[in-house]
Amino acid sequence: MVACHFFFQLHLLRIDCIKKIYINNVTEFILLGLSQNKKIKSLCCLLLLFCYIAIWMGNSLIIFSITCSQLIGQPMYFFLNYLALSDLCYTSTVTPKLVTGLLEERNMISYISCMAQLFAMHFFGGIEVLILTVMAYDCYVAICKPLHYTVIMSRRRCYVLVFVCCTGAFLHSFMQCLLTISLPFCGPNEIDHYFCDVYSLLKLAFTDTYSVGILVVANSGMMGLVNFVVLMLSYFFILYTIRVYPAESRSKALSTCSSYVAVVVLFFVPVLFIYIRPVSIFPEDKVFALFYTIIAPMFNPLVYTLRNMEMKNALRKVWCQNPFLIGRQLA
């Protein structure tokens, strides 16, 4: 009798919760973060703060150097400028909350802030994914179709591609949030992550999330997979084309492409590991998420500047010859 009464009450609670799909009892969530150990939290706080400063310095340097030089007229650097901007926005949706949360006993986030973070993460992350794909296409056209490059990658088309990237990212993020907002949250509110991840929220939802999970995989997983395949095909055709180049030119192209592929793999592999599988949560997810939320945005400036002679020359001109930056020398 006691057991029957318990399950009857549980059934009533479930019905009541389903009736309140748009009126959630949960008004805030607790982000459990990377660890509950105080020493580990202090160490992570220092490391992540250093990474966040490095991300801001590196990407701001790229944006300022490209904007203040003639490189802004070249499609490759035009897209790199937007990549650096998306990196800054993307990591800023996660890292400040993560760092401050490591200093607090309980890292709380309101329901509205959680949904806003979810939307912003997928919006700026989607822009980054699509911009990386466009940059690979730009590289492919430059190497495989050099005679048609200026026509194919005209300034007008560059703006259209950026607009398409932003529109595609918005639609992706809007669908992701729409699927999540429709879920009822009536019980546990602890998110075993350091940001509002859609899979973690699906786990807390007080309803069957199988169909929603399939749509999430179709939205996020397939978007990442399709762009990753397009990227790899672009670099494959590039490598196939440069096989007939002189040894010196081939070596330079291989060095550049290998760096770009390393950045792409560093970003996409963790994304695919998390979002291409059916809805499930593993302890390793938080570590893999660090790669595409913090580590990849930190390494992008290094790869696209230190291994690029034009970019290094632009940095020297902007930062060593601009009197507004270094001050006028006194006679």
Side-chain angles (χ1 to χ4, degrees):
M1 290 294 294
V2 175
C4 291
H5 179 72
F6 172 78
F7 284 113
F8 178 72
Q9 292 296 327
L10 185 63
H11 179 66
L12 291 178
L13 178 62
R14 181 182 179 86
I15 292 174
D16 183 65
C17 192
I18 291 174
K19 287 180 180 178
K20 299 178 179 180
I21 289 179
Y22 297 103
I23 307 175
N24 294 312
N25 293 332
V26 175
T27 58
E28 60 183 7
F29 296 100
I30 301 173
L31 298 173
L32 297 182
L34 295 172
S35 175
Q36 296 302 308
N37 187 294
K38 290 187 177 180
K39 292 183 179 179
I40 295 177
K41 288 174 69 173
S42 300
L43 178 62
C44 289
C45 182
L46 291 174
L47 290 175
L48 293 173
L49 181 60
F50 169 78
C51 291
Y52 188 54
I53 293 172
I55 290 169
W56 263 96
M57 291 180 63
N59 286 286
S60 298
L61 186 67
I62 286 179
I63 294 171
F64 191 82
S65 299
I66 292 176
T67 305
C68 297
S69 69
Q70 296 179 347
L71 293 180
I72 192 66
Q74 300 182 35
M76 173 184 171
Y77 300 102
F78 176 80
F79 294 127
L80 179 57
N81 194 42
Y82 281 97
L83 178 67
L85 181 60
S86 65
D87 272 337
L88 280 180
C89 297
Y90 181 54
T91 194
S92 293
T93 62
V94 179
T95 312
K97 182 64 178 174
L98 171 58
V99 173
T100 56
L102 290 170
L103 300 174
E104 299 172 352
E105 190 69 25
R106 299 179 71 189
N107 189 11
M108 310 294 295
I109 184 170
S110 67
Y111 176 85
I112 295 176
S113 297
C114 185
M115 295 301 114
Q117 186 187 57
L118 179 68
F119 177 84
M121 272 200 65
H122 283 272
F123 176 63
F124 293 116
I127 291 177
E128 181 162 359
V129 167
L130 295 171
I131 287 290
L132 284 171
T133 306
V134 169
M135 290 179 69
Y137 174 72
D138 172 70
C139 192
Y140 162 77
V141 174
I143 293 178
C144 301
K145 299 181 179 181
L147 298 179
H148 303 89
Y149 180 74
T150 54
V151 176
I152 296 175
M153 301 304 295
S154 64
R155 179 45 59 98
R156 180 177 179 275
R157 182 160 297 179
C158 289
Y159 279 114
V160 170
L161 288 172
V162 171
F163 176 77
V164 169
C165 290
C166 294
T167 304
F170 176 81
L171 293 175
H172 158 72
S173 184
F174 178 78
M175 288 302 299
Q176 202 81 324
C177 282
L178 188 64
L179 292 171
T180 308
I181 290 174
S182 64
L183 297 173
F185 299 98
C186 301
N189 65 337
E190 291 186 346
I191 298 177
D192 189 16
H193 216 304
Y194 59 87
F195 62 85
C196 288
D197 180 59
V198 62
Y199 278 9
S200 300
L201 290 170
L202 289 177
K203 184 181 178 181
L204 296 180
F206 200 80
T207 186
D208 182 17
T209 58
Y210 177 78
S211 57
V212 177
I214 295 297
L215 293 174
V216 168
V217 171
N219 186 25
S220 295
M222 292 309 298
M223 178 183 178
L225 182 62
V226 169
N227 281 279
F228 182 69
V229 171
V230 172
L231 278 162
M232 290 296 101
L233 285 175
S234 298
Y235 288 120
F236 172 78
F237 285 122
I238 289 171
L239 294 175
Y240 181 78
T241 301
I242 64 175
R243 77 190 192 283
V244 297
Y245 282 21
E248 184 178 350
S249 299
R250 187 169 62 248
S251 176
K252 182 180 179 181
L254 283 172
S255 176
T256 303
C257 285
S258 62
S259 301
Y260 293 173
V261 170
V263 170
V264 167
V265 170
L266 191 66
F267 182 86
F268 275 91
V269 170
V271 169
L272 294 177
F273 173 79
I274 293 175
Y275 290 108
I276 202 64
R277 66 175 192 247
V279 178
S280 56
I281 299 175
F282 300 117
E284 297 82 10
D285 288 352
K286 289 186 279 188
V287 178
F288 277 96
L290 287 173
F291 281 92
Y292 59 82
T293 56
I294 296 175
I295 297 176
M298 184 174 63
F299 278 102
N300 277 346
L302 296 176
V303 171
Y304 288 107
T305 56
L306 296 182
R307 302 185 68 92
N308 188 309
M309 188 57 66
E310 285 184 320
M311 194 67 200
K312 285 192 284 188
N313 290 335
L315 289 173
R316 293 192 190 98
K317 289 180 181 179
V318 171
W319 295 96
C320 297
Q321 298 179 14
N322 193 330
F324 295 101
L325 294 176
I326 60 177
R328 295 182 181 277
Q329 293 182 352
L330 297 175

